Amino acid sequence: MEFHVVLQFTQMQNVVRNEKLCFGFAMFGTVVIGIGIAGSVRIRDLLNPLPSSPAEHLKLLGFVSRRSLGDVHQVKQISLQEALDNKEVHAAIISTNNRNHEESIRMFLEAGKHVLVECPMALSAKAAHELLEMAEQKGKVLHVEHIELLTEAYKQLKKEVMGKELVKGTLHFTGGPLDEEHSGFPAFSGIARLTWLVDLFGDLTVTSAVREEQKEKNYSRLTAHFYTENKRPLTWIEERAPGMKRDKKINICFKSGCLESLPEAPRSAVGLFMQDLVLFAKKLLGQVSKEELAAEKRRILLCLNLAEEIQMHCERPTKVYS
């Protein structure tokens, strides 16, 4: 018996038009682009999808890498051109370095593929706007990974923040150094922290931003100051150096008291990248509401606009007075 799938929202009506529907079960041929840490996790999750979840609709057909690796976990290495040209490939998961994201997204959207990309989507707000518009014009899903919103600690933090009147707050991230040639300016490579602030406190305005560097020590400290819509001050610090422990510290004060550490929460039984993969598959299947899609798009673009503005503040020439 053939089942006919009717998508609830017109926005998603073209999403599965070219995918094969067999007995009501859509399968999306998928390739992974880039096989570093994130790409390897993507391959693992695609080979072992969460049972009875939308991720089971994703079929791994191969991976693309600049290195010659042969088969990995019995998954075939294919060329970039093969991935673009193959009609059986419906979706690409882009796990390359940040600077390569924009070009890769454009290529796969032009080839008529859906795209999942690790954050940030691009290293400029203008490029992100263009890519999202291209995806909409082609009727394709462009999903940006944001696993920082899926952690149990963050979910608990959001519950504790909800409904409280903010006075001021600081989010301080520390970690090892990054190669900015590949990762981009810290406001973009650290956009996960910026996403936390926007998701927790809504629209923000950059009031100032500075960056301290000690290149001989590979040390970098970005400090950005914001106002919320209610003119409450927030500070984001992104600090990196060799040997610096990866950590997030908060000090968020409300009229009712202060939160001085992240809440403890048990780790989810389902991995973060698997949760993200399930969300991507839900979008492919038209199972995410147009309201949720619109809110997510707005948040992504807002964060990228803020990141760009922070970079402009930091790179503004210092005035010299004689």
Side-chain angles (χ1 to χ4, degrees), residues 70-82:
D71 292 356
V72 173
H73 302 302
Q74 299 183 326
V75 179
K76 181 182 177 184
Q77 181 170 2
I78 62 176
S79 71
L80 176 61
Q81 201 58 51
E82 283 180 272

Side-chain angles (χ1 to χ4, degrees), residues 7 55 78 104 116 139 143 163 171 176 178 197 211 218 227 265 302:
L7 297 180
I78 62 176
S104 296
L116 182 161
H143 171 74
L171 171 59
L178 294 176
L197 293 177
R211 185 187 185 192
N218 207 4
Y227 269 145
L302 174 59

Side-chain angles (χ1 to χ4, degrees), residues 220-247:
S220 170
R221 180 184 172 108
L222 169 70
T223 304
H225 298 284
F226 310 90
Y227 269 145
T228 66
E229 285 190 308
N230 293 326
K231 302 297 183 184
R232 301 302 184 186
L234 289 170
T235 300
W236 167 34
I237 300 169
E238 189 85 0
E239 188 175 17
R240 290 183 176 275
M244 190 170 279
K245 180 184 176 184
R246 186 180 177 88
D247 195 15

